[in-house]
Amino acid sequence: MSTFLGMPATAPRGVGHLRGDQTFPRAAHDALGNSQLRRNLRHATTTIRGKSGKVIAELPDWQELRDAGSAIKADVMARLPELLEELEARVTEAGGVVHWAADANEANEIVTRLVRETGSSRVIKVKSMATQEIGLNEALEEAGITPVETDLAELIVQLGDDKPSHILVPAIHRNRSEIREIFLRAMPGVDPALTDDPPVLAAAARRYLRETFLSTEVAVSGANFAIAATGTLGVVESEGNGRMCLTLPDTLITVMGIEKVLPTWRDLEVFLQLLPRASTGERMNPYTTMWTGVTPGDGPQNFHLVLLDNGRSAVLADTAGRQALHCIRCSACLNVCPVYERTGGHSYGSVYPGPIGAVLSPQLTGVADNASLPYASSLCGACFDACPVKIDIPSLLVHLRNQVPHPPAERAAMAAAAYTMARPRLYANAQRAAKLARIAGRRGRGLPPPFSGWTAGRDLPEFPSQTFRDWWAER
Amino acid sequence: MRIALFATCLADTLFPEAAKATVLLLERLGHEVVFPAEQTCCGQMHVNTGYQAAALPLVKRYASVFDPYDVIVAPSGSCVGSIRHQHSMVAAAYGDAGLAARAADVGSRTYELSELLVDVLGVEDVGAYFPHRVTYHPTCHSLRMTRVGDKPLRLLRQVRGLDLVELPAAEQCCGFGGTFAIKNAETSTAMLADKMTNIVSTGADVCTAGDASCLMHIGGGLSRLRTGVRTVHLAEILASTEFTS
């Protein structure tokens, strides 16, 4: 499929959070040296893995549910333009206003203008990956508008002037004493006698947020789902802050990636089972808020839906790569990934960390801008098994590696190896030559770069006295 | 049965004992093993590093060298996984549809050693003797790409003298991942450190697996730390008898 809305091929540079300022191995080096971070991550991912595994095991039809989720998403991608137009028509009929944003810049301009038109200088936000992706908070602040994150972990990240490091648990890299320090430093009106007891910390956040909810007239949200047939939007969450944002203000502005649309209400049934079990390890998420346009006298009286592309059309155009758009942001792949567990979310440089980030970010930005991410995996496959909509992340990683601009030296080495291995006689000679070179030159001395990383932590095997094929020939 | 051996480039060059053991084991069970000398490498390293075009001649070579055989075995869950799942994909993307179909067909006749023994030859007790405390690491590609399941464990449980001990967090990757161990050497080493801690915690004197590549990585780490635990390919354990031990 070609791009269908005259959209740009990839997300623009200089805005939003899809590109890191260093490569994955470089960023991972810093994370690996942070033992506190590694302990926090190991504890958190192990706990979530255990919880999730337990509630998934309760469902005898989990595999069928995954198949259903995967099939619905494949159908959505196959007829995305049609479903989005249907969604636009239904939202408009219900009293909402639909805006189309080609990229992060357009989306930020639209939201900033809409907030300005309300005369408000503060917005409350429910946790949203899409608005993080486009750097909306920074754009609002530049326009003199204060965004207040109301998800507890997101608030911790915002007050700490930090970046989120996990899709579901953005402050996973922080422990409670770090959170106490952040609150004391940055939370308006906080009790100076604050302790690091979790209920005390939660109560402090609650007091601050309650006041903010009741005195702010504009909210910005993301959306977990949108139903094309009825124009209904939906957000699922655990804290109740989302419901406050979605029901209390006069104006609600929802920023949604175009891939989030579902055809009908019936399709929701599948995802409302898959998402909480795969992500938080709950049978059902505590709060599910659905709204359709505006209802006079009840809830927000102005509703705007911003449909965000920002590279998604380009992902859709790649028939192999487009399954990354099936992602429902559950973070199951992060929680099982041995690489994520040790390097943390910041190493991925994008708001989308972990295995799904390693395939989604390079596709949204163009692989050249995130060339180290497809290699940030040992291809162990745990993410594929954990994904509730069966995204074949290992195959996608391999697919993207094939598009990455390769370093010339590596390309030459790979070509030489392939040339040799395609010729058995040459190959047998090379086996003998390698053995001789090793014995004559480098035994016990490790290897030169780029192989020195190997010998830094591991011994090389001894070359055997005879290859298998020589043994076979002599039998 | 007449069985063609794909030795894999790694076993052929660096770990010939794994390939030799595969031959001796199958011959002991009464089968004929042939080694087509024109074979080289399955090309997985090229595919997984992003060089599918370079892998194409290797895919073509594998399909033509092994096409004449009904049953092909390799002592590597990883290479078998690549042959089954990646060869036809690469052929379709860069070659022709004919090669893709042939690659898929040859791939469906290619088995990892434990699969061949349990599924094709119907044997779980191969008459082995290996008097050691052993822990088994179920390499990621054996587990999630080739899906050998518990077949290696079923075979190991029948080995006389062998004390099989469970490996904690067995299904976590050891951190090898082919060129991952070079491109992300530090992350790979961190993963290996946890794997080694778990291996040492079992009190085993041998760690086994169905992939020479992962064993090279784990063995290299265990050797560097002077743990006293050695790595032995599954094929070598299954080939051992009271006479050889």
Side-chain angles (χ1 to χ4, degrees):
Chain A
M1 182 188 292
S2 61
T3 51
F4 60 95
L5 289 167
M7 295 296 181
T10 52
R13 290 199 181 106
V15 59
H17 303 287
L18 287 172
R19 296 167 175 86
D21 41 24
Q22 48 189 358
T23 64
F24 183 85
R26 179 61 230 158
H29 169 81
D30 296 337
L32 287 164
N34 184 340
S35 56
Q36 178 71 60
L37 170 76
R38 283 180 64 184
R39 263 200 301 277
N40 293 352
L41 280 170
R42 178 191 290 226
H43 175 72
T45 55
T46 307
T47 306
I48 302 175
R49 272 205 300 271
K51 270 180 73 181
S52 179
K54 221 161 93 183
V55 293
I56 283 172
E58 292 173 352
L59 290 189
D61 61 346
W62 180 252
Q63 296 309 328
E64 287 81 359
L65 275 171
R66 289 176 77 208
D67 286 334
S70 173
I72 292 168
K73 283 292 187 179
D75 171 52
V76 166
M77 296 315 147
R79 54 194 184 100
L80 192 56
E82 163 200 333
L83 289 170
L84 288 170
E85 283 174 16
E86 189 183 356
L87 176 70
E88 178 183 34
R90 296 293 93 78
V91 169
T92 308
E93 278 168 19
V97 183
V98 175
H99 309 262
W100 298 82
D103 61 24
N105 287 317
E106 273 191 32
N108 288 336
E109 279 161 26
I110 292 166
V111 177
T112 306
R113 175 172 54 79
L114 292 172
V115 178
R116 275 203 177 124
E117 282 169 8
T118 67
S120 184
S121 61
R122 183 169 66 180
V123 300
I124 45 175
K125 287 187 70 205
V126 52
K127 180 180 175 316
S128 151
M129 295 307 296
T131 61
Q132 279 173 16
E133 172 188 326
I134 62 176
L136 178 66
N137 285 4
E138 291 86 338
L140 289 173
E141 278 163 9
E142 206 162 297
I145 299 161
T146 308
V148 180
E149 295 288 350
T150 65
D151 173 272
L152 180 54
E154 205 66 53
L155 178 67
I156 293 165
V157 168
Q158 187 182 35
L159 293 176
D161 206 14
D162 195 0
K163 282 182 175 172
S165 68
H166 188 282
I167 289 173
L168 185 78
V169 203
I172 195 169
H173 56 293
R174 298 290 198 185
N175 63 20
R176 61 194 197 176
S177 73
E178 292 173 299
I179 293 166
R180 172 180 169 268
E181 282 163 29
I182 291 168
F183 280 12
L184 281 175
R185 194 170 64 237
M187 184 180 281
V190 76
D191 178 359
L194 189 74
T195 69
D196 69 357
D197 187 27
V200 173
L201 291 171
R206 175 186 289 250
R207 259 193 306 278
Y208 166 62
L209 287 175
R210 265 307 148 96
E211 197 191 309
T212 312
F213 283 131
L214 294 171
S215 58
T216 308
E217 292 181 345
V218 185
V220 174
S221 87
N224 289 100
F225 311 103
I227 309 297
T230 58
T232 306
L233 277 292
V235 164
V236 296
E237 38 111 16
S238 300
E239 297 173 16
N241 65 299
R243 178 158 296 174
M244 298 274 213
C245 289
L246 297 162
T247 56
L248 285 173
D250 287 337
T251 299
L252 171 61
I253 304 165
T254 298
V255 181
M256 182 191 103
I258 51 174
E259 79 280 15
K260 295 272 179 174
V261 67
L262 293 176
T264 69
W265 266 93
R266 285 198 59 183
D267 301 312
L268 256 190
E269 173 237 352
V270 173
F271 296 98
L272 290 183
Q273 292 182 78
L274 287 173
L275 182 53
R277 286 182 200 256
S279 65
T280 49
E282 292 168 302
R283 295 183 181 90
M284 191 169 180
N285 50 287
Y287 296 89
T288 303
T289 308
M290 318 285 297
W291 68 100
T292 309
V294 293
T295 307
D298 183 21
Q301 296 301 293
N302 304 291
F303 170 55
H304 296 273
L305 174 62
V306 181
L307 293 171
L308 175 72
D309 188 304
N310 208 36
R312 286 163 176 75
S313 295
V315 184
L316 189 68
D318 180 343
T319 50
R322 70 165 60 150
Q323 59 171 317
L325 296 177
H326 295 193
C327 175
I328 57 174
R329 311 286 187 258
C330 73
S331 70
C333 62
L334 278 62
N335 299 329
V336 299
C337 178
V339 174
Y340 176 87
E341 186 178 318
R342 287 163 185 87
T343 61
H346 293 162
S347 300
Y348 295 80
S350 159
V351 295
Y352 301 112
I356 189 64
V359 294
L360 189 57
S361 307
Q363 292 199 86
L364 291 173
T365 62
V367 285
D369 277 15
N370 267 313
S372 66
L373 287 186
Y375 293 96
S377 165
S378 64
L379 301 179
C380 84
C383 50
F384 185 18
D385 280 5
C387 179
V389 292
K390 287 195 164 175
I391 300 172
D392 185 353
I393 295 176
S395 294
L396 261 178
L397 289 163
V398 168
H399 173 69
L400 293 174
R401 289 176 185 188
N402 201 44
Q403 297 169 14
V404 164
H406 296 302
E410 181 188 276
R411 196 165 50 227
M414 283 289 174
Y419 185 87
T420 307
M421 284 168 169
R423 291 158 182 81
R425 193 176 300 268
L426 211 55
Y427 169 65
N429 288 339
Q431 286 178 316
R432 288 180 200 113
K435 179 177 148 188
L436 277 178
R438 176 81 197 293
I439 292 166
R442 305 212 66 96
R443 185 174 221 160
R445 276 202 258 153
L447 291 171
F451 305 103
S452 46
W454 174 275
T455 42
R458 310 157 192 82
D459 287 338
L460 282 169
E462 290 296 320
F463 260 86
S465 57
Q466 196 179 34
T467 63
F468 173 79
R469 69 180 57 225
D470 287 344
W471 174 79
W472 180 271
E474 280 181 17
R475 271 187 107 195
Chain B
M1 189 181 282
R2 187 160 179 261
I3 300 161
L5 172 69
F6 174 52
T8 80
C9 62
L10 191 67
D12 181 10
T13 309
L14 276 175
F15 300 96
E17 296 306 321
K20 280 190 228 173
T22 305
V23 173
L24 299 175
L25 168 66
L26 292 173
E27 287 178 349
R28 189 175 82 215
L29 294 172
H31 303 283
E32 183 198 350
V33 180
V34 287
F35 177 76
E38 297 293 295
Q39 65 177 281
T40 57
C41 166
C42 70
Q44 183 183 190
M45 178 182 75
H46 286 89
V47 175
N48 284 353
T49 313
Y51 295 85
Q52 292 186 23
L56 187 63
L58 304 178
V59 170
K60 205 175 277 181
R61 167 163 295 275
Y62 184 88
S64 61
V65 168
F66 286 100
D67 198 24
Y69 304 97
D70 293 333
V71 175
I72 305 137
V73 70
S76 164
S78 188
C79 302
V80 171
S82 178
I83 290 160
R84 272 191 214 158
H85 297 287
Q86 295 181 329
H87 276 198
S88 58
M89 173 197 80
V90 171
Y94 288 91
D96 53 276
L99 176 62
R102 195 149 52 101
D105 179 38
V106 178
S108 72
R109 286 181 267 136
T110 304
Y111 300 91
E112 184 270 345
L113 179 61
S114 72
E115 287 180 322
L116 175 81
L117 292 167
V118 175
D119 292 346
V120 182
L121 305 179
V123 55
E124 287 188 20
D125 184 348
V126 296
Y129 173 78
F130 192 77
H132 296 281
R133 193 172 165 92
V134 175
T135 195
Y136 170 72
H137 168 59
T139 73
C140 300
H141 286 180
S142 289
L143 193 68
R144 304 193 188 91
M145 205 172 182
T146 310
R147 304 269 177 201
V148 303
D150 67 344
K151 284 159 207 160
L153 288 169
R154 278 152 64 186
L155 292 159
L156 285 169
R157 281 191 203 108
Q158 301 298 325
V159 175
R160 275 167 280 288
L162 190 148
D163 177 16
L164 187 64
V165 284
E166 196 183 331
L167 178 64
E171 299 189 356
Q172 273 232 2
C173 178
C174 70
F176 175 59
T179 45
F180 173 77
I182 294 166
K183 284 180 178 279
N184 283 284
E186 290 178 273
T187 308
S188 166
T189 306
M191 290 157 72
L192 174 62
D194 292 343
K195 181 59 70 181
M196 292 195 294
T197 302
N198 286 323
I199 290 170
V200 171
S201 79
T202 65
D205 48 310
V206 169
C207 172
T208 190
D211 278 281
S213 51
C214 308
L215 288 176
M216 173 176 73
H217 174 73
I218 295 169
L222 291 170
S223 156
R224 175 64 57 93
L225 293 185
R226 309 282 182 261
T227 58
V229 186
R230 65 196 168 103
T231 49
V232 177
H233 194 283
L234 177 70
E236 293 174 64
I237 293 181
L238 298 179
S240 293
T241 61
E242 284 187 66
F243 181 71
T244 57
S245 284

